Amino acid sequence: MTEFDDPTDGRDAVGSRQDLLRRPGDALIPAVPVETTTRTSEEAASDLVQLAGSHGVAAAPKNGLSPSAPMSHMDRHHGGFTVHRVEAAFVVIAFVGMALGLVSDWLTWNPAVRWTGYGAAYLFGGWFGARGGLDAIRHLQVDIDLLMILAAIGALVIGAPFEGAMLLFLFSLSNVLQHYAIGRSRSAIQSLMVLRPESARIFQDGNWVEIGIAKVVVGDRFLVVPGDRLPLDGVVVRGQSSVDQSTLTGESVPVSKEVGDVVFGGTINGGGTLEVRVTKRSDESAIARLIQMVEEAQSEKAETQRIIDRLEQPYVLGVLGLTLVAIALPILALGQAFEPVFYRAMTLMVAASPCALVISTPAAVLSAIAAAARSGVLFKGGVHVEEMATVRVVAFDKTGTLTEGRSRLTDLVVLDDGISEAELLARIASVQARSEHHLAEATVKAAELQDLALSPVDEFQALAGQGVTGTVNGERIFIGNDRLFAEVDVSGAQKAEEAVQQLVKEAKTAVVIARERGDTEGRSPEFLGVAAFADSLRSNASEVIRELRSIGITRVEMITGDNEEVATAIAKEADVDAFHAEVLPGDKVDLVKGLREQHGAVAFVGDGINDAPALAAATVGIAMGGAGTDVALETADVVLMGDDLSKLPYALELSRRTRRTLIANLAFSLGMIVVMVASILSIGLALPLAVIGHEGSTVLVSLNGLRLLAFRSR
């Protein structure tokens, strides 16, 4: 038999498919105003961990550290709101103390006033640094905090308290500014996570009652009036409206919703009233999953940051060793005086400290993750932001990715005179109702449009890459491609082949239906008919591919399980460089691996279910439609939260901009260290200037990374 479509393509799973389109026949929507339960944007910008907890999501530990791990120079910036307020206040006190000590020096005031000022500057300016340094020592480590504290104490020992006070003031100030920069990227994500209402109006015992969302169970129905935030994920069972999904999917235009459409918690209802049946518990909703994924993404470090973290400890030890050599060598070998040698060594230690180097990566990566999430693109970790920047080849799945994925049943050819078209459609729809495949959904929808009653199905089975089978009214029904019938002798094969050939010439996807009667033992199965389906290319697919080429993508390919004729038509319309048809899910992995071996970094874009192996095999796996697909969020490295291909060029450009920012930050940080160390050794750069250069470079790289927050999709 000729090429048939791959009607399952690995998507089906044994088990019932929820009846998302059936309306319960119960109470009418009340035509009276109901008090809304919404939250302001200020309330929505609460702490992300608390937000995750309120949705039943366990937040991941920051930076992968356990509570017992030492709090590093960077980790302290992610502490609580109160800690940062106190730290900011300590910075102000340190500045006042430093200024008081300096004025006392100028005006020769009472020494008690002088030392009171410098004492306050040392105490409050070095408080958090000393705590961090001691915490590191307890864990047998050294860090940047310890270097700064030692340098300040050294300045005090040689009679330069102002330089030490200035160092601690600027060091603590840079910490606060770094927290502000990192906090901006985190709050930008938090602003996306607009809290859904804490309660929902549920229909119980003939009345609409307000209950907490944690008590709502799957199958309950809730009511949303114009302006309401939807409390939970569900399916519309009554009413029509438009819903603003921008906080979840990044879509700029409200989406029309009617009976049978899926809606998501946290989105905002427009001008109509909707009655919605709950399909997921509060802790399983799309917004709850997104919160968890973003929290985990923030805690997953980029590869550059991991390298810096591994080198930080030996580097700091090296700086301490260099400082000791800078003290001992001139005194012991050259006979120089202690005070100027010690002063130069302290200056050297400040200049060589890697504060800017440590902050350069997280400042940029967290800002990129925040900017992407705000535009409906979820990077599941900093490492994927960096990997995305290296991609030069993109491979697409066809159905649901390049095409709309909303196939419709166009033809139903009956091959058995003893059965009508409606009867055949009812039988195959009964079996397909148990499948998650897009062709199965099209079949069931066609049956519903004709008000056909579906029959119970026993012994349902999905065969990856072949089709589905199930028993209906004692008859075993087979629906699939040629691989499903390859080893079975089925009567009526010639008629089926002729029908398939004709439909395939029309660039339609064809599947064959056969049955095996339960009361005819020993009789071979017989073909009942052929069903044909059609899908259309996304309206912006060709434009997206052109844009990908314009930003440096060298090759675009399409991989599909569909037949050669359909694949040829779609590939030509989309203008891809090459395509592969009739590919089984497992074979997609081999193709992706081949592309990686031939071209280097490869991104694979799919809908996240049958494409899961290929998503994992690619350098970067990108899933479409993450708002409604559980597997997409679990398998992909990057998720386009709305079904919008135009976000793909944006994600690529953002990742490349991030890489350029990382390179600039690292080059600037290392350059400043080299310039300051060289200046100290050659012209005796003063400690205050080294402090300004050190802390100034730290703040500058933080702010440079923060610029990525302004990166927007085209």
Side-chain angles (χ1 to χ4, degrees):
M1 187 164 291
T2 60
E3 301 96 339
F4 296 141
D5 173 49
D6 177 0
T8 61
D9 210 13
R11 302 179 189 222
D12 298 294
V14 177
S16 299
R17 184 172 68 93
Q18 290 182 337
D19 178 16
L20 300 182
L21 301 178
R22 196 175 301 280
R23 281 177 49 169
D26 46 24
L28 297 175
I29 298 174
V32 295
V34 183
E35 182 182 357
T36 61
T37 307
T38 58
R39 295 178 65 88
T40 65
S41 58
E42 290 79 6
E43 292 171 311
S46 60
D47 183 80
L48 188 57
V49 177
Q50 180 182 0
L51 176 59
S54 71
H55 290 261
V57 178
K62 307 290 189 300
N63 294 331
L65 296 175
S66 65
S68 61
M71 184 169 58
S72 71
H73 173 71
M74 273 302 303
D75 296 324
R76 192 172 61 252
H77 301 314
H78 308 305
F81 176 70
T82 302
V83 173
H84 298 308
R85 289 285 295 271
V86 171
E87 192 171 9
F90 278 19
V91 169
V92 174
I93 297 173
F95 173 75
V96 173
M98 178 189 69
L100 180 61
L102 180 62
V103 171
S104 298
D105 284 337
W106 287 346
L107 302 179
T108 63
W109 285 352
N110 190 310
V113 177
R114 177 177 186 258
W115 288 112
T116 297
Y118 285 137
Y122 269 73
L123 176 63
F124 291 97
W127 179 264
F128 287 99
R131 287 180 59 187
L134 292 174
D135 193 38
I137 292 174
R138 282 198 298 269
H139 290 83
L140 303 179
Q141 296 178 0
V142 292
D143 63 2
I144 300 170
D145 293 326
L146 183 61
L147 293 183
M148 296 298 102
I149 296 300
L150 290 177
I153 294 174
L156 183 64
V157 168
I158 61 174
F162 170 73
E163 283 84 346
M166 181 180 181
L167 169 62
L168 293 177
F169 160 67
L170 290 178
F171 182 62
S172 57
L173 175 62
S174 72
N175 286 349
V176 171
L177 294 177
Q178 289 171 47
H179 162 65
Y180 169 76
I182 299 299
R184 278 289 304 272
S185 67
R186 290 183 179 274
S187 63
I189 293 178
Q190 291 173 19
S191 66
L192 296 172
M193 312 306 173
V194 181
L195 280 173
R196 61 196 164 189
E198 297 295 336
S199 60
R201 282 179 230 91
I202 302 299
F203 189 74
Q204 289 184 348
D205 302 324
N207 296 303
W208 294 97
V209 296
E210 197 106 0
I211 65 173
I213 59 171
K215 298 179 181 179
V216 179
V217 299
V218 173
D220 282 347
R221 290 180 296 110
F222 64 84
L223 186 72
V224 284
V225 297
D228 265 3
R229 289 195 185 278
L230 278 73
L232 296 158
D233 291 7
V235 174
V236 177
V237 296
R238 190 165 301 176
Q240 185 174 2
S241 184
S242 60
V243 175
D244 181 357
Q245 299 183 159
S246 59
T247 55
L248 184 63
T249 66
E251 294 169 281
S252 59
V253 179
V255 180
S256 177
K257 299 293 182 181
E258 56 187 21
V259 173
D261 288 338
V262 176
V263 292
F264 305 108
T267 56
I268 304 172
N269 184 31
T273 299
L274 296 176
E275 185 180 332
V276 180
R277 176 163 50 82
V278 177
T279 57
K280 293 180 181 177
R281 301 195 314 266
S282 60
D283 60 342
E284 296 176 340
S285 66
I287 191 71
R289 295 199 317 270
L290 182 59
I291 293 167
Q292 184 179 29
M293 297 300 296
V294 171
E295 181 68 12
E296 291 173 354
Q298 289 182 324
S299 67
E300 183 179 344
K301 298 179 181 180
E303 184 61 30
T304 303
Q305 186 179 348
R306 292 175 184 173
I307 294 173
I308 291 174
D309 289 347
R310 286 197 297 268
L311 296 177
E312 180 181 1
Q313 188 71 12
Y315 182 92
V316 172
L317 289 173
V319 171
L320 282 175
L322 177 65
T323 303
L324 293 176
V325 171
I327 295 173
L329 186 62
I331 294 175
L332 299 178
L334 303 177
Q336 296 182 6
F338 171 78
E339 185 172 315
V341 168
F342 192 81
Y343 183 90
R344 184 171 64 241
M346 293 301 101
T347 307
L348 190 65
M349 183 165 65
V350 170
S353 294
C355 288
L357 203 60
V358 170
I359 191 65
S360 61
T361 299
V365 170
L366 288 178
S367 295
I369 291 174
R374 198 157 50 189
S375 295
V377 178
L378 175 60
F379 283 96
K380 293 169 64 175
V383 62
H384 306 306
V385 177
E386 288 192 297
E387 287 177 339
M388 189 82 157
T390 67
V391 168
R392 290 295 179 269
V393 176
V394 177
F396 289 94
D397 173 49
K398 179 183 75 69
T399 305
T401 304
L402 283 179
T403 67
E404 294 287 349
R406 301 188 185 97
S407 298
R408 54 188 177 85
L409 181 65
T410 58
D411 301 87
L412 188 58
V413 180
V414 180
L415 302 177
D416 188 329
D417 295 335
I419 186 173
S420 68
E421 183 177 313
E423 290 173 329
L424 179 59
L425 178 57
R427 292 186 192 185
I428 63 174
S430 297
V431 177
Q432 296 279 49
R434 302 285 296 272
S435 171
E436 295 290 343
H437 193 271
H438 65 99
L439 298 186
E441 295 177 358
T443 305
V444 174
K445 185 173 183 179
E448 288 176 344
L449 291 175
Q450 296 186 30
D451 294 325
L452 298 178
L454 304 187
S455 303
V457 176
D458 299 319
E459 301 175 350
F460 174 83
Q461 187 178 8
L463 304 173
Q466 298 181 40
V468 295
T469 178
T471 301
V472 180
N473 298 327
E475 294 183 345
R476 191 70 176 168
I477 303 297
F478 300 86
I479 309 168
N481 55 32
D482 56 346
R483 290 186 289 271
L484 181 62
F485 305 102
E487 299 179 2
V488 181
D489 182 20
V490 186
S491 62
Q494 183 176 352
K495 288 184 178 180
E497 182 176 356
E498 291 173 355
V500 168
Q501 290 278 18
Q502 179 59 40
L503 293 168
V504 165
K505 288 179 181 178
E506 300 171 10
K508 295 177 181 178
T509 298
V511 297
V512 182
I513 306 108
R515 72 175 171 188
E516 185 178 49
R517 297 179 185 270
D519 57 352
T520 55
E521 186 175 350
R523 182 177 176 181
S524 62
E526 57 184 352
F527 283 117
L528 291 179
V530 178
F533 303 84
D535 194 5
S536 57
L537 190 72
R538 289 179 182 269
S539 59
N540 63 345
S542 299
E543 179 184 350
V544 167
I545 291 173
R546 285 194 298 271
E547 189 173 352
L548 289 175
R549 291 192 176 107
S550 71
I551 62 174
I553 296 300
T554 59
R555 188 169 184 82
V556 178
E557 296 196 5
M558 183 184 78
I559 304 174
T560 179
D562 215 334
N563 63 66
E564 188 81 18
E565 286 77 4
V566 173
T568 301
I570 294 296
K572 183 177 180 180
E573 188 177 358
D575 191 26
V576 298
D577 296 306
F579 70 92
H580 308 271
E582 302 178 29
V583 180
L584 291 173
D587 296 333
K588 289 184 179 181
V589 174
D590 296 332
L591 287 170
V592 171
K593 288 181 177 178
L595 286 173
R596 291 188 65 173
E597 292 174 359
Q598 186 176 358
H599 300 284
V602 173
F604 181 80
V605 189
D607 55 8
I609 301 176
N610 62 316
D611 300 315
L615 288 169
T619 308
V620 180
I622 304 170
M624 295 284 293
T629 307
D630 293 337
V631 179
L633 286 173
E634 295 169 2
T635 58
D637 304 315
V638 181
V639 179
L640 307 183
M641 295 305 295
D643 264 344
D644 187 359
L645 269 183
S646 66
K647 301 296 183 182
L648 180 57
Y650 161 79
L652 282 163
E653 287 190 285
L654 174 61
S655 64
R656 293 174 182 179
R657 176 75 65 84
T658 303
R659 184 175 63 171
R660 290 195 296 269
T661 302
L662 287 177
I663 293 172
N665 279 354
L666 293 173
F668 179 73
S669 303
L670 291 171
M672 285 295 295
I673 291 175
V674 171
V675 168
M676 287 191 295
V677 169
S679 299
I680 292 168
L681 297 177
S682 60
I683 63 174
L685 184 72
L687 178 58
L689 294 179
V691 170
I692 293 173
H694 174 267
E695 303 304 338
S697 63
T698 302
V699 173
L700 285 177
V701 297
S702 299
L703 296 178
N704 190 42
L706 195 64
R707 291 190 310 118
L708 291 170
L709 285 174
F711 194 86
R712 294 287 187 272
S713 59
R714 296 181 178 182

